Amino acid sequence: MTDHVRSLWIGAVACGWAVAGGLAVVPAWADQAVSAPISSQSSSAGAAGEFITVNGVRRPAGHSADTSALLSHALGFSSYAAGGVSALPVLNGMADDRVATFVDGMRIASACPNHMNPAMSYIDPDSVASAIATAGITSVSQGGDSTGGTVSVERRDPQFAKAGALLVTGRLRGDYRSNGGGSGASGSVTVANDLLSLRYTGSYSHASDYHAGGDGPRVRSTSYLSFNHAVTLGVHKDNHLLALTVGQQDIPYEGFPNQYMDMTNNRSTFVNGKYKGDFDWGTLEARGFWQRVDHVMDMMSDKGGHTASTGMPMNTDARTAGYAIKTTIPLGRRHELGLGSSFDHNGLNDWWPPLAGSMMMGPNTYHNVNNGYRDRLGHYIEWKAQWLPRLSTELGMRSDLVMMNTGPVAPYSWTGMMSMADIMAARRFNAASRGRTDTNFDVTALVRWHPLDSLMIEGGYARKTRSPNLYERYAWGRGAMASSMIGWFGDGNGYVGNLDLTPEIANTASMTITWHDPRDQAWLVKIQPYYTYTHRYINVMRIGALSNGLSQLQFVNHDAQSYGINGSAFARLWRSDAFGTGEVQANLNWVRGQDLVTHSGLYHQMPTNGTIALHEIYENWTGRVEVTLVKAKDTVDWLRHEPRTPGYALLELGGSYRWRNLTLDASIDNVLDQKYDLPLGGLSLGDYKATGVLGALPGLGRSYNLSLTATF
C-alpha cells in the first residue's frame, strides 16, 4: 500500500471513530482540500482523481449518476429506488426525511409530493469532495429534526496557488454504460492565485430505460437527462477562507418506475456562501444559502405520455433559505466547547392545473399545498472532554423550534359529483386550525474508551426528534386519484395527511467496537449493534381501498422499534514488489423493524445483505472483484402491500489504469446477468401501466461500463 493510500486509510478509520461508526467517502484528489488547515492549502492539482477511499480500500469512482451510490459501502446505509439520479437514503432502516441530508451545509427538503428531487439529486457525483454517512447515534452538531442519522455531502473547497504564482488546473471525465445506453460527461477548471480562486464545474448525464437481468425486458420509466453547472469564487487570507458558489441544475425529464408520475422538468437555482476561520479563541464556520426549485410532473411516454388534453400536470414551486453558524472553543488542554445556531425556511406551493376537457381534473386548479411553509430554528451546545489519554466523552443538547402552516386549499371543482370526496375534505381542512409549532429536544451522550492500541470501544445514547413534513400533515385530498398522487414510498398506495400528527421521538442505544492493527494498518474489524425505540413513529393506518387492489392510507403516530447490527472488516492479504498490494474488504448489515401497534414490519427495511471485495493495486493498475449478497426479503409491511423478494448474488469485475494524467476505468456490473428484484424498489408501476401486471421493481441486468478521466 502506498504511503498516500495508507494516510487516507488512517484518516478514514479516524473519521469512522469520530462519528460513531459513520463512514467517510473521500476522493483522493480532494484530500488536501478536505483535511489540510486553511493556512496551508496546496496548489497541487492531484492526479489520482479516479479514486475514493472507503474504509481503507481504494475504490474507483462509480459510473452511476446517482450521488447516493458513493455511500453504498457505509455501515447501515442502503437506498431505495426512485429515478436514475434520485435514490433516497436509508440508515439503519430509517429512510428519507428521517435522515438529515446536507449538501454543502444546506438542508434541502424534497419539493414534490413524490420526493422526486431529494437533497443528493442536486449534486453530481463527480463534484463531491467528501461524503459522510453517520448511522445510529449522531452528534447534536450534525443537525436535528431527524431520527435515523446524518448524511453530509461537500464540494471541494477552493484551490489556491503559492504566493506569487498562478494556478490553472482542472479535470475532464467521460462515462459510458451499456445497459440503458447511459452516457455522461463532467469537468472542472480552476484559475487562482494565492488570494483569489475561480472554479467552474459542469456535468451532463443521460440514460434510456435499462433492461432487467436474466435477459429480461426493458424496465419502463427509468430514463433521465440531467445538467449541472456551478461557479465558485474563493478568497483566502491567512487563516480565513470565504467561498461563494452559484449554480443551476436542469433535469428536463426523469422517469420514476415505481410512481404513477414522472418528472417532466426540474430547475433549481442556488446561492451558497461559506466562511471558515481560525482565531486565537477557536474556530468559526458560517454558512448562508438560498435555493429556488421549479418542479413539474406528468406522464412520460412509457406511462402514456401527456398533451394539452391527456396526462395529469402537477406543479411545485419551492423556496429554501437559511443559515448555519458553528463555533468550537478549546477550554484548556482537555475540554472543547461547541456552540451552534441554524435556521431553515422551506416555502412550498403545490398546485395541479386543470386538464382541458376532463370532468375529473377540472375545471379549476387543484391546490394541494397553498403557500405552505416549514421553518426550523435550532441551537445546540456540545461538550467534548478528554479525561484520560484513552478515555473521552461527548455530551450534547439541542433544541429545535419547528413552525408550520398552510393557506386554504381547493379541489378541481366545488360542485362536481366526481370531486365530492375532495370537496368535503377541502371544506374540513379549510375550517380547521392549520398552524403548528413543535418544540423538539435532542440529547446525545457518548463515551470513547481505547483500552488497547488495537481496540476502540464507543457507546452511547441519543434522543432524536423529528417533526412531520408538509405532506404528512397537510396532504388533505380524500379522493382515490388525489391521494394516489401523494407518496414517496414507491408502493402504489394513496396517502392522506393528518393535522393531528405529533413529532416522533427516537431513543437509540448503540455501541461500536473497532479492532485494528495499530502498527501496519494491515487489518480492521468493526462491529456496531444498535437498538431504537421510537415513540409516536409516523406510520400509517388503512382508511380505504383503491381500484387496483392497493390501499388508501393515512399518516398516524404509532410506537415502533428497530434493532440490528452492522459490521465491516478489512485485511491486507499481500504486499510485494512482484505482486503489488492485495486487499479484501467485507461488510454486513442486518436490521429488523416492527410497528408495535399493528405488529407489521416497518417499511423499507433492507434484508440481511453484505459485500465481499478483493482489490489488487500494482503500480498504476488497480483491479477489483466484488460479490454482493442479499437475503430474501420475508419481513414486510403488510399494510402497504410491500412485495416479498427472493435473495440474490451479484458479481462485479473492474479495473483501472493510470498513465500520466489519464485514467481509464472499465467494469462489468452483474457479470452473470442475474435476474433479481430490488428489495427496496417497491412496485414497478411503469410496467404495470403498460402490461397490467403488478410486481416488484426488477434490478439492473449486465452492464459494461467505461470511463476516461484527464487531469491538468
Side-chain angles (χ1 to χ4, degrees), residues 2 9 40 89 94 180 215 235 249 277 311 313 327 352 393 418-419 512 514 516 623 643 654 659 671 679 693 696:
T2 65
W9 186 91
S40 61
M94 300 283 196
D215 198 23
V235 180
Q249 180 197 71
T327 183
W352 309 347
T393 60
M418 298 183 70
S419 299
T512 303
T514 305
H516 71 106
W659 179 73
V671 174
V693 178

PDB file of all heavy atoms in Angstrom, residues 2 9 40 89 94 180 215 235 249 277 311 313 327 352 393 418-419 512 514 516 623 643 654 659 671 679 693 696:
ATOM      1  N   THR A   2       0.616   2.176  -0.884  1.00  0.00           N
ATOM      2  CA  THR A   2       1.436   3.380  -0.953  1.00  0.00           C
ATOM      3  C   THR A   2       1.241   4.227   0.292  1.00  0.00           C
ATOM      4  O   THR A   2       0.243   4.135   0.997  1.00  0.00           O
ATOM      5  CB  THR A   2       1.055   4.199  -2.187  1.00  0.00           C
ATOM      6  OG1 THR A   2      -0.295   4.645  -2.016  1.00  0.00           O
ATOM      7  CG2 THR A   2       1.173   3.373  -3.460  1.00  0.00           C
ATOM      8  N   TRP A   9      -6.215   5.877   4.506  1.00  0.00           N
ATOM      9  CA  TRP A   9      -6.836   4.789   5.271  1.00  0.00           C
ATOM     10  C   TRP A   9      -6.937   5.178   6.741  1.00  0.00           C
ATOM     11  O   TRP A   9      -7.960   5.020   7.379  1.00  0.00           O
ATOM     12  CB  TRP A   9      -6.003   3.535   5.086  1.00  0.00           C
ATOM     13  CG  TRP A   9      -6.620   2.317   5.698  1.00  0.00           C
ATOM     14  CD1 TRP A   9      -7.456   1.440   5.106  1.00  0.00           C
ATOM     15  CD2 TRP A   9      -6.426   1.846   7.033  1.00  0.00           C
ATOM     16  NE1 TRP A   9      -7.808   0.446   5.976  1.00  0.00           N
ATOM     17  CE2 TRP A   9      -7.190   0.668   7.166  1.00  0.00           C
ATOM     18  CE3 TRP A   9      -5.687   2.299   8.125  1.00  0.00           C
ATOM     19  CZ2 TRP A   9      -7.233  -0.053   8.340  1.00  0.00           C
ATOM     20  CZ3 TRP A   9      -5.737   1.583   9.302  1.00  0.00           C
ATOM     21  CH2 TRP A   9      -6.502   0.420   9.408  1.00  0.00           C
ATOM     22  N   SER A  40      -2.579  26.288   5.084  1.00  0.00           N
ATOM     23  CA  SER A  40      -1.554  25.531   4.384  1.00  0.00           C
ATOM     24  C   SER A  40      -2.108  24.805   3.175  1.00  0.00           C
ATOM     25  O   SER A  40      -1.659  23.746   2.806  1.00  0.00           O
ATOM     26  CB  SER A  40      -0.927  24.499   5.329  1.00  0.00           C
ATOM     27  OG  SER A  40      -1.908  23.591   5.776  1.00  0.00           O
ATOM     28  N   PRO A  89     -31.988   8.001   0.671  1.00  0.00           N
ATOM     29  CA  PRO A  89     -31.107   7.310   1.625  1.00  0.00           C
ATOM     30  C   PRO A  89     -31.874   6.603   2.730  1.00  0.00           C
ATOM     31  O   PRO A  89     -32.949   7.037   3.160  1.00  0.00           O
ATOM     32  CB  PRO A  89     -30.269   8.457   2.193  1.00  0.00           C
ATOM     33  CG  PRO A  89     -31.180   9.647   2.121  1.00  0.00           C
ATOM     34  CD  PRO A  89     -32.002   9.451   0.862  1.00  0.00           C
ATOM     35  N   MET A  94     -34.043   3.589   8.744  1.00  0.00           N
ATOM     36  CA  MET A  94     -34.743   4.866   8.776  1.00  0.00           C
ATOM     37  C   MET A  94     -34.511   5.576   7.439  1.00  0.00           C
ATOM     38  O   MET A  94     -33.360   5.777   7.032  1.00  0.00           O
ATOM     39  CB  MET A  94     -34.240   5.735   9.927  1.00  0.00           C
ATOM     40  CG  MET A  94     -34.432   5.122  11.297  1.00  0.00           C
ATOM     41  SD  MET A  94     -36.145   5.266  11.844  1.00  0.00           S
ATOM     42  CE  MET A  94     -35.958   4.923  13.595  1.00  0.00           C
ATOM     43  N   GLY A 180     -28.990   0.432 -20.952  1.00  0.00           N
ATOM     44  CA  GLY A 180     -29.712   1.689 -20.995  1.00  0.00           C
ATOM     45  C   GLY A 180     -29.024   2.745 -21.838  1.00  0.00           C
ATOM     46  O   GLY A 180     -29.528   3.864 -21.957  1.00  0.00           O
ATOM     47  N   ASP A 215     -31.513 -11.573 -19.138  1.00  0.00           N
ATOM     48  CA  ASP A 215     -32.001 -11.227 -20.477  1.00  0.00           C
ATOM     49  C   ASP A 215     -33.449 -10.764 -20.388  1.00  0.00           C
ATOM     50  O   ASP A 215     -34.291 -11.071 -21.241  1.00  0.00           O
ATOM     51  CB  ASP A 215     -31.878 -12.425 -21.431  1.00  0.00           C
ATOM     52  CG  ASP A 215     -31.960 -12.003 -22.903  1.00  0.00           C
ATOM     53  OD1 ASP A 215     -31.674 -10.820 -23.184  1.00  0.00           O
ATOM     54  OD2 ASP A 215     -32.320 -12.845 -23.731  1.00  0.00           O
ATOM     55  N   VAL A 235     -11.931  33.285  -1.622  1.00  0.00           N
ATOM     56  CA  VAL A 235     -10.966  34.273  -1.141  1.00  0.00           C
ATOM     57  C   VAL A 235     -10.260  33.668   0.065  1.00  0.00           C
ATOM     58  O   VAL A 235     -10.916  33.201   1.008  1.00  0.00           O
ATOM     59  CB  VAL A 235     -11.652  35.599  -0.743  1.00  0.00           C
ATOM     60  CG1 VAL A 235     -10.619  36.605  -0.256  1.00  0.00           C
ATOM     61  CG2 VAL A 235     -12.460  36.162  -1.901  1.00  0.00           C
ATOM     62  N   GLN A 249     -29.277  23.650 -11.767  1.00  0.00           N
ATOM     63  CA  GLN A 249     -29.487  22.288 -12.255  1.00  0.00           C
ATOM     64  C   GLN A 249     -30.742  22.258 -13.120  1.00  0.00           C
ATOM     65  O   GLN A 249     -31.758  22.880 -12.788  1.00  0.00           O
ATOM     66  CB  GLN A 249     -29.670  21.301 -11.106  1.00  0.00           C
ATOM     67  CG  GLN A 249     -29.885  19.859 -11.560  1.00  0.00           C
ATOM     68  CD  GLN A 249     -30.458  18.974 -10.477  1.00  0.00           C
ATOM     69  OE1 GLN A 249     -31.621  19.101 -10.105  1.00  0.00           O
ATOM     70  NE2 GLN A 249     -29.636  18.072  -9.962  1.00  0.00           N
ATOM     71  N   GLY A 277     -12.843  30.232   9.574  1.00  0.00           N
ATOM     72  CA  GLY A 277     -11.720  30.997  10.107  1.00  0.00           C
ATOM     73  C   GLY A 277     -11.182  30.409  11.393  1.00  0.00           C
ATOM     74  O   GLY A 277     -11.935  29.851  12.207  1.00  0.00           O
ATOM     75  N   GLY A 311     -52.903  13.115 -19.741  1.00  0.00           N
ATOM     76  CA  GLY A 311     -51.915  13.152 -18.678  1.00  0.00           C
ATOM     77  C   GLY A 311     -52.492  13.770 -17.423  1.00  0.00           C
ATOM     78  O   GLY A 311     -53.709  13.787 -17.194  1.00  0.00           O
ATOM     79  N   PRO A 313     -51.007  17.194 -15.263  1.00  0.00           N
ATOM     80  CA  PRO A 313     -49.953  18.136 -14.859  1.00  0.00           C
ATOM     81  C   PRO A 313     -50.001  18.431 -13.361  1.00  0.00           C
ATOM     82  O   PRO A 313     -51.065  18.627 -12.787  1.00  0.00           O
ATOM     83  CB  PRO A 313     -50.261  19.387 -15.685  1.00  0.00           C
ATOM     84  CG  PRO A 313     -51.726  19.293 -15.999  1.00  0.00           C
ATOM     85  CD  PRO A 313     -52.022  17.826 -16.111  1.00  0.00           C
ATOM     86  N   THR A 327     -19.291  27.172  16.058  1.00  0.00           N
ATOM     87  CA  THR A 327     -18.021  27.624  16.621  1.00  0.00           C
ATOM     88  C   THR A 327     -17.505  26.585  17.605  1.00  0.00           C
ATOM     89  O   THR A 327     -18.293  25.922  18.294  1.00  0.00           O
ATOM     90  CB  THR A 327     -18.176  28.991  17.318  1.00  0.00           C
ATOM     91  OG1 THR A 327     -16.911  29.449  17.792  1.00  0.00           O
ATOM     92  CG2 THR A 327     -19.137  28.903  18.483  1.00  0.00           C
ATOM     93  N   TRP A 352     -52.154  21.739  -9.083  1.00  0.00           N
ATOM     94  CA  TRP A 352     -52.345  20.859 -10.225  1.00  0.00           C
ATOM     95  C   TRP A 352     -53.286  21.547 -11.212  1.00  0.00           C
ATOM     96  O   TRP A 352     -54.498  21.620 -10.986  1.00  0.00           O
ATOM     97  CB  TRP A 352     -52.936  19.512  -9.787  1.00  0.00           C
ATOM     98  CG  TRP A 352     -52.181  18.868  -8.646  1.00  0.00           C
ATOM     99  CD1 TRP A 352     -50.949  19.217  -8.158  1.00  0.00           C
ATOM    100  CD2 TRP A 352     -52.619  17.768  -7.841  1.00  0.00           C
ATOM    101  NE1 TRP A 352     -50.593  18.408  -7.109  1.00  0.00           N
ATOM    102  CE2 TRP A 352     -51.599  17.495  -6.892  1.00  0.00           C
ATOM    103  CE3 TRP A 352     -53.758  16.978  -7.837  1.00  0.00           C
ATOM    104  CZ2 TRP A 352     -51.699  16.492  -5.946  1.00  0.00           C
ATOM    105  CZ3 TRP A 352     -53.868  15.963  -6.897  1.00  0.00           C
ATOM    106  CH2 TRP A 352     -52.843  15.723  -5.967  1.00  0.00           C
ATOM    107  N   THR A 393     -15.263  11.713  26.445  1.00  0.00           N
ATOM    108  CA  THR A 393     -16.722  11.751  26.441  1.00  0.00           C
ATOM    109  C   THR A 393     -17.207  12.898  25.563  1.00  0.00           C
ATOM    110  O   THR A 393     -16.468  13.845  25.277  1.00  0.00           O
ATOM    111  CB  THR A 393     -17.286  11.939  27.857  1.00  0.00           C
ATOM    112  OG1 THR A 393     -16.787  13.175  28.400  1.00  0.00           O
ATOM    113  CG2 THR A 393     -16.893  10.793  28.768  1.00  0.00           C
ATOM    114  N   MET A 418     -67.981  13.941  -9.087  1.00  0.00           N
ATOM    115  CA  MET A 418     -66.757  13.150  -9.112  1.00  0.00           C
ATOM    116  C   MET A 418     -65.721  13.671  -8.124  1.00  0.00           C
ATOM    117  O   MET A 418     -64.776  12.962  -7.787  1.00  0.00           O
ATOM    118  CB  MET A 418     -66.174  13.135 -10.533  1.00  0.00           C
ATOM    119  CG  MET A 418     -67.090  12.495 -11.571  1.00  0.00           C
ATOM    120  SD  MET A 418     -66.349  12.421 -13.213  1.00  0.00           S
ATOM    121  CE  MET A 418     -65.088  11.174 -12.935  1.00  0.00           C
ATOM    122  N   SER A 419     -65.882  14.913  -7.672  1.00  0.00           N
ATOM    123  CA  SER A 419     -64.933  15.517  -6.733  1.00  0.00           C
ATOM    124  C   SER A 419     -65.480  15.571  -5.319  1.00  0.00           C
ATOM    125  O   SER A 419     -64.911  16.262  -4.465  1.00  0.00           O
ATOM    126  CB  SER A 419     -64.575  16.940  -7.198  1.00  0.00           C
ATOM    127  OG  SER A 419     -63.957  16.937  -8.462  1.00  0.00           O
ATOM    128  N   THR A 512     -20.083   0.754  19.201  1.00  0.00           N
ATOM    129  CA  THR A 512     -19.206   0.445  18.075  1.00  0.00           C
ATOM    130  C   THR A 512     -17.876  -0.067  18.627  1.00  0.00           C
ATOM    131  O   THR A 512     -17.215   0.621  19.411  1.00  0.00           O
ATOM    132  CB  THR A 512     -18.949   1.684  17.200  1.00  0.00           C
ATOM    133  OG1 THR A 512     -20.201   2.194  16.741  1.00  0.00           O
ATOM    134  CG2 THR A 512     -18.090   1.323  16.005  1.00  0.00           C
ATOM    135  N   THR A 514     -14.199  -1.330  17.506  1.00  0.00           N
ATOM    136  CA  THR A 514     -13.248  -1.313  16.401  1.00  0.00           C
ATOM    137  C   THR A 514     -11.947  -1.956  16.853  1.00  0.00           C
ATOM    138  O   THR A 514     -11.305  -1.488  17.793  1.00  0.00           O
ATOM    139  CB  THR A 514     -12.976   0.122  15.920  1.00  0.00           C
ATOM    140  OG1 THR A 514     -14.218   0.752  15.598  1.00  0.00           O
ATOM    141  CG2 THR A 514     -12.091   0.118  14.682  1.00  0.00           C
ATOM    142  N   HIS A 516      -8.243  -3.192  15.383  1.00  0.00           N
ATOM    143  CA  HIS A 516      -7.431  -2.959  14.187  1.00  0.00           C
ATOM    144  C   HIS A 516      -5.951  -3.173  14.489  1.00  0.00           C
ATOM    145  O   HIS A 516      -5.528  -3.302  15.645  1.00  0.00           O
ATOM    146  CB  HIS A 516      -7.659  -1.535  13.667  1.00  0.00           C
ATOM    147  CG  HIS A 516      -7.055  -0.482  14.551  1.00  0.00           C
ATOM    148  ND1 HIS A 516      -5.916   0.207  14.225  1.00  0.00           N
ATOM    149  CD2 HIS A 516      -7.437  -0.013  15.769  1.00  0.00           C
ATOM    150  CE1 HIS A 516      -5.625   1.060  15.189  1.00  0.00           C
ATOM    151  NE2 HIS A 516      -6.526   0.946  16.137  1.00  0.00           N
ATOM    152  N   GLY A 623      -7.165  -3.501  -9.838  1.00  0.00           N
ATOM    153  CA  GLY A 623      -8.209  -4.439 -10.244  1.00  0.00           C
ATOM    154  C   GLY A 623      -9.107  -4.771  -9.075  1.00  0.00           C
ATOM    155  O   GLY A 623      -8.713  -4.653  -7.907  1.00  0.00           O
ATOM    156  N   PRO A 643     -43.985  -5.930  -1.404  1.00  0.00           N
ATOM    157  CA  PRO A 643     -43.730  -7.245  -2.006  1.00  0.00           C
ATOM    158  C   PRO A 643     -42.557  -7.962  -1.336  1.00  0.00           C
ATOM    159  O   PRO A 643     -41.589  -7.330  -0.911  1.00  0.00           O
ATOM    160  CB  PRO A 643     -43.396  -6.906  -3.465  1.00  0.00           C
ATOM    161  CG  PRO A 643     -42.862  -5.509  -3.418  1.00  0.00           C
ATOM    162  CD  PRO A 643     -43.607  -4.820  -2.299  1.00  0.00           C
ATOM    163  N   GLY A 654     -13.881  -5.281 -12.314  1.00  0.00           N
ATOM    164  CA  GLY A 654     -13.447  -3.983 -12.808  1.00  0.00           C
ATOM    165  C   GLY A 654     -11.964  -3.783 -12.647  1.00  0.00           C
ATOM    166  O   GLY A 654     -11.270  -4.522 -11.934  1.00  0.00           O
ATOM    167  N   TRP A 659      -2.139   6.428 -16.564  1.00  0.00           N
ATOM    168  CA  TRP A 659      -0.943   6.746 -17.340  1.00  0.00           C
ATOM    169  C   TRP A 659      -0.832   8.256 -17.427  1.00  0.00           C
ATOM    170  O   TRP A 659      -1.665   8.934 -18.015  1.00  0.00           O
ATOM    171  CB  TRP A 659      -1.041   6.133 -18.740  1.00  0.00           C
ATOM    172  CG  TRP A 659       0.137   6.441 -19.614  1.00  0.00           C
ATOM    173  CD1 TRP A 659       1.383   5.929 -19.512  1.00  0.00           C
ATOM    174  CD2 TRP A 659       0.145   7.347 -20.720  1.00  0.00           C
ATOM    175  NE1 TRP A 659       2.196   6.463 -20.483  1.00  0.00           N
ATOM    176  CE2 TRP A 659       1.452   7.333 -21.253  1.00  0.00           C
ATOM    177  CE3 TRP A 659      -0.815   8.175 -21.324  1.00  0.00           C
ATOM    178  CZ2 TRP A 659       1.831   8.116 -22.342  1.00  0.00           C
ATOM    179  CZ3 TRP A 659      -0.452   8.943 -22.414  1.00  0.00           C
ATOM    180  CH2 TRP A 659       0.856   8.906 -22.914  1.00  0.00           C
ATOM    181  N   VAL A 671     -22.194  -9.400 -13.665  1.00  0.00           N
ATOM    182  CA  VAL A 671     -21.473 -10.151 -14.697  1.00  0.00           C
ATOM    183  C   VAL A 671     -22.281 -11.339 -15.208  1.00  0.00           C
ATOM    184  O   VAL A 671     -22.317 -11.623 -16.413  1.00  0.00           O
ATOM    185  CB  VAL A 671     -20.115 -10.629 -14.141  1.00  0.00           C
ATOM    186  CG1 VAL A 671     -19.407 -11.533 -15.144  1.00  0.00           C
ATOM    187  CG2 VAL A 671     -19.233  -9.433 -13.800  1.00  0.00           C
ATOM    188  N   PRO A 679     -35.096  -5.173  -3.271  1.00  0.00           N
ATOM    189  CA  PRO A 679     -35.851  -5.317  -2.022  1.00  0.00           C
ATOM    190  C   PRO A 679     -36.514  -4.023  -1.565  1.00  0.00           C
ATOM    191  O   PRO A 679     -37.556  -4.067  -0.912  1.00  0.00           O
ATOM    192  CB  PRO A 679     -34.776  -5.771  -1.015  1.00  0.00           C
ATOM    193  CG  PRO A 679     -33.695  -6.375  -1.855  1.00  0.00           C
ATOM    194  CD  PRO A 679     -33.684  -5.587  -3.123  1.00  0.00           C
ATOM    195  N   VAL A 693     -49.639  -6.011 -15.307  1.00  0.00           N
ATOM    196  CA  VAL A 693     -49.061  -6.940 -14.334  1.00  0.00           C
ATOM    197  C   VAL A 693     -48.370  -6.133 -13.240  1.00  0.00           C
ATOM    198  O   VAL A 693     -47.466  -5.337 -13.518  1.00  0.00           O
ATOM    199  CB  VAL A 693     -48.061  -7.899 -15.007  1.00  0.00           C
ATOM    200  CG1 VAL A 693     -47.427  -8.819 -13.965  1.00  0.00           C
ATOM    201  CG2 VAL A 693     -48.744  -8.703 -16.099  1.00  0.00           C
ATOM    202  N   ALA A 696     -42.846  -6.554  -8.286  1.00  0.00           N
ATOM    203  CA  ALA A 696     -41.722  -5.820  -7.712  1.00  0.00           C
ATOM    204  C   ALA A 696     -40.857  -5.230  -8.825  1.00  0.00           C
ATOM    205  O   ALA A 696     -40.842  -5.712  -9.962  1.00  0.00           O
ATOM    206  CB  ALA A 696     -40.893  -6.738  -6.824  1.00  0.00           C
TER     207      ALA A 696
END
